[in-house]
């Protein structure tokens, strides 16, 4: 009886291990970027944009507007690197305060964008280093 | 039988100690003994530190002095509109205090800018509008730097000119002041739990008999 139980537990662990190793490379990449992005977000973004990406009234835009993020997907990396000035419309509200440039490296930008565009109700998939480098090369 | 009685009394005492809430907030700041004559007898009383008189201008361009706060409980803090670090967090939390008490004319919020050069009256008005603040419950106060930095000490706060990195440094505390202009609590404005406690403490303070009668 005891042996059966041990075998049972062993089998369960084996199956779990096999199933989790079956995670595709894409999923592994996503998890890596997302987890790294969460801590970068806390350190560099959360004070202003809020724990839940809620922003602050009409001063700081929320990060919960999937449409804005999708429409500006290729510009997000540039916003983080160079800051953002001028009027933007997010979630039907106008915002025209300045966001200061950050000193994040391209890999950090990729991670934090993966986090933001897949949190707060967004689901846009991984933003990897290659994509960020491509977008940064085209910054206006 | 005697045991039963004992347990009953013990239970009552325990219950009682659980239900009794502190109904008076402490008075903070320096205190000094004051001796005065009452009815021909010498009485020694405690004099607590109070916020001295001041003169600032709010977001509407109105002059605000300590007189405008007579008969009012208020919360004070220090900030500047372009502050990238703790201010958005503080004012996200202060907004909860504002929402809770904005219809109470005997309550105010005073936010002093520590960057008067940039935060002029129109800049403060724009900030108020963008924060969704209207009416007179939350005043954003402009004054000369010396006055603001001076009064921060009365609130037990530390604010400094720009540090070498080019930023202003200031504490993120919310200070609760009673109708006698005494400090009754300090709360870390960046911590939502502390700000919840501030809201609860304001209610406790409002219920103190001494506060209820003060004009």
């Amino acid at each position: 009886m005891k042996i059966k139980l041990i075998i049972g537990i062993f089998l369960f662990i084996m199956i779990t291990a096999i199933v989790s190793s079956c995670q595709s490379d894409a999923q592994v990449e996503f998890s890596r970027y997302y987890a790294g992005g969460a801590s970068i977000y806390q350190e560099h973004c959360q004070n202003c944009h809020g724990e839940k990406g809620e922003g602050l009234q009409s001063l700081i835009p929320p990060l919960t507007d999937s449409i804005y993020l999708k429409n500006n997907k290729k510009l997000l990396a540039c916003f983080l690197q160079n800051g953002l000035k001028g009027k933007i419309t997010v979630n039907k509200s106008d915002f025209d305060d300045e966001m200061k440039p950050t000193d994040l490296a391209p890999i950090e930008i990729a991670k934090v964008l993966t986090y933001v565009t897949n949190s707060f109700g967004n689901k846009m998939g991984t933003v990897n280093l290659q994509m960020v480098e491509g977008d940064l090369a085209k910054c206006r | 039988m005697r045991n039963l009685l004992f347990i009953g009394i013990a239970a009552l005492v325990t219950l009682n100690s659980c239900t009794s809430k502190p109904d008076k907030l402490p008075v903070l700041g320096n205190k000094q003994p004051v001796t005065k004559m009452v009815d021909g007898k010498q009485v020694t009383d405690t004099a607590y530190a109070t916020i001295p008189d001041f003169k600032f201008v709010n977001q509407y361009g109105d002059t605000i002095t300590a007189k405008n706060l007579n008969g009012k409980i208020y919360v004070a803090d220090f900030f500047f509109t372009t502050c990238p670090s703790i201010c958005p967090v503080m004012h996200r939390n202060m907004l909860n205090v504002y929402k809770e008490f904005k219809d109470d004319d005997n309550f105010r919020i005073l936010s002093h800018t520590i960057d008067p050069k940039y935060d002029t009256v129109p800049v403060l008005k724009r900030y108020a509008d963008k924060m969704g603040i209207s009416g007179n419950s939350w005043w954003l106060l402009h004054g000369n730097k010396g006055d603001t930095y001076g009064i921060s000490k009365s609130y037990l706060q530390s604010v400094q000119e720009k540090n070498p990195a080019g930023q202003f440094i200031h504490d993120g505390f919310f200070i609760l002041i009673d109708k006698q202009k005494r400090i009754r609590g300090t709360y870390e404005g960046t911590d939502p739990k502390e700000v919840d406690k501030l809201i609860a403490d304001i209610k406790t303070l409002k219920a103190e008999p001494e506060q209820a009668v003060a004009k």
Side-chain angles (χ1 to χ4, degrees):
Chain A
M1 189 59 202
K2 217 174 190 182
I3 290 173
K4 261 190 189 166
L5 190 68
I6 291 172
I7 292 175
I9 291 172
F10 181 74
L11 274 177
F12 178 74
I13 293 172
M14 283 296 287
I15 290 168
T16 314
I18 291 167
V19 168
S20 59
S21 72
C22 282
Q23 256 193 347
S24 66
D25 285 352
Q27 275 170 318
V28 172
E29 185 187 47
F30 174 80
S31 306
R32 202 159 47 90
Y33 273 82
Y34 187 87
S39 59
I40 296 168
Y41 181 82
Q42 277 174 17
E43 191 181 335
H44 294 273
C45 319
Q46 188 168 303
N47 276 352
C48 291
H49 287 289
E51 197 183 343
K52 301 183 189 80
E54 71 271 31
L56 180 59
Q57 302 293 89
S58 303
L59 281 169
I60 299 162
L63 303 173
T64 51
D65 182 354
S66 301
I67 297 164
Y68 180 86
L69 292 178
K70 269 182 198 142
N71 289 346
N72 295 279
K73 196 177 179 201
K74 297 250 157 224
L75 299 172
L76 298 177
C78 297
F79 293 167
L80 292 194
Q81 187 175 65
N82 303 327
L84 184 56
K85 261 186 193 172
K87 196 167 97 174
I88 57 169
T89 305
V90 180
N91 203 13
K92 292 173 197 146
S93 294
D94 290 341
F95 296 87
D96 59 0
D97 285 85
E98 183 189 355
M99 178 168 82
K100 292 266 191 304
T102 65
D103 52 2
L104 294 175
I107 182 67
E108 293 174 304
I109 292 179
K111 286 177 178 176
V112 80
L113 284 181
T114 300
Y115 178 74
V116 168
T117 57
N118 293 280
S119 303
F120 322 131
N122 305 310
K123 204 168 170 54
M124 290 165 58
T126 310
V127 180
N128 66 27
L129 179 60
Q130 288 71 34
M131 294 156 82
V132 165
E133 283 175 338
D135 291 344
L136 287 178
K138 289 179 225 130
C139 284
R140 274 174 270 160
Chain B
M1 189 60 201
R2 197 183 267 178
N3 273 347
L4 211 61
L5 194 67
F6 178 75
I7 291 170
I9 291 171
L12 270 178
V13 169
T14 316
L15 264 178
N16 208 24
S17 69
C18 285
T19 49
S20 68
K21 272 199 259 169
D23 53 356
K24 197 165 170 19
L25 303 177
V27 180
L28 309 179
N30 290 329
K31 39 194 135 202
Q32 283 175 328
V34 189
T35 312
K36 54 185 175 186
M37 300 297 279
V38 177
D39 297 334
K41 283 182 203 160
Q42 213 176 42
V43 181
T44 304
D45 203 356
T46 315
Y48 292 94
T50 55
I51 304 300
D53 198 6
F54 54 77
K55 192 174 168 185
F56 295 105
V57 175
N58 71 10
Q59 70 265 38
Y60 303 110
D62 302 330
T63 300
I64 302 299
T65 67
K67 271 208 189 87
N68 296 89
L69 293 153
N70 284 350
K72 299 188 199 308
I73 288 168
Y74 71 97
V75 174
D77 76 351
F78 295 84
F79 86 114
F80 56 109
T81 61
T82 52
C83 160
S85 54
I86 58 174
C87 306
V89 187
M90 288 165 65
H91 279 180
R92 188 179 288 123
N93 292 333
M94 190 68 101
L95 218 43
N96 292 334
V97 180
Y98 169 77
K99 283 177 191 154
E100 185 78 33
F101 300 107
K102 70 179 157 68
D103 297 325
D104 181 353
D105 191 45
N106 292 325
F107 177 80
R108 290 284 183 274
I109 299 169
L110 270 55
S111 290
H112 293 266
T113 175
I114 58 167
D115 184 7
K117 201 172 160 191
Y118 183 84
D119 289 342
T120 55
V121 169
V123 170
L124 292 176
K125 176 66 167 64
R126 180 180 176 279
Y127 182 86
D129 290 345
K130 293 222 136 202
M131 278 288 285
I133 303 168
S134 58
N136 275 298
S137 1
W138 190 345
W139 285 331
L140 304 163
L141 297 180
H142 180 273
N144 79 50
K145 208 178 265 178
D147 290 349
T148 302
Y149 287 32
I151 201 145
S152 75
K153 293 194 185 80
S154 305
Y155 289 111
L156 313 175
Q157 293 301 287
S158 143
V159 295
Q160 284 173 43
E161 188 88 45
K162 293 183 177 186
N163 69 5
Q167 286 162 335
F168 290 91
I169 327 170
H170 61 113
D171 287 341
F173 284 91
F174 295 167
I175 322 297
L176 177 60
I177 307 295
D178 69 13
K179 292 182 180 176
Q180 287 76 31
K181 309 198 190 301
R182 301 172 303 185
I183 301 174
R184 302 301 295 274
T186 66
Y187 309 82
E188 178 51 77
T190 54
D191 182 350
K193 282 196 198 97
E194 291 247 324
V195 178
D196 286 347
K197 184 169 186 304
L198 166 61
I199 292 172
D201 281 359
I202 293 168
K203 290 177 183 166
T204 305
L205 182 59
K206 281 168 70 165
E208 279 181 16
E210 213 182 6
Q211 299 300 310
V213 296
K215 286 278 170 350

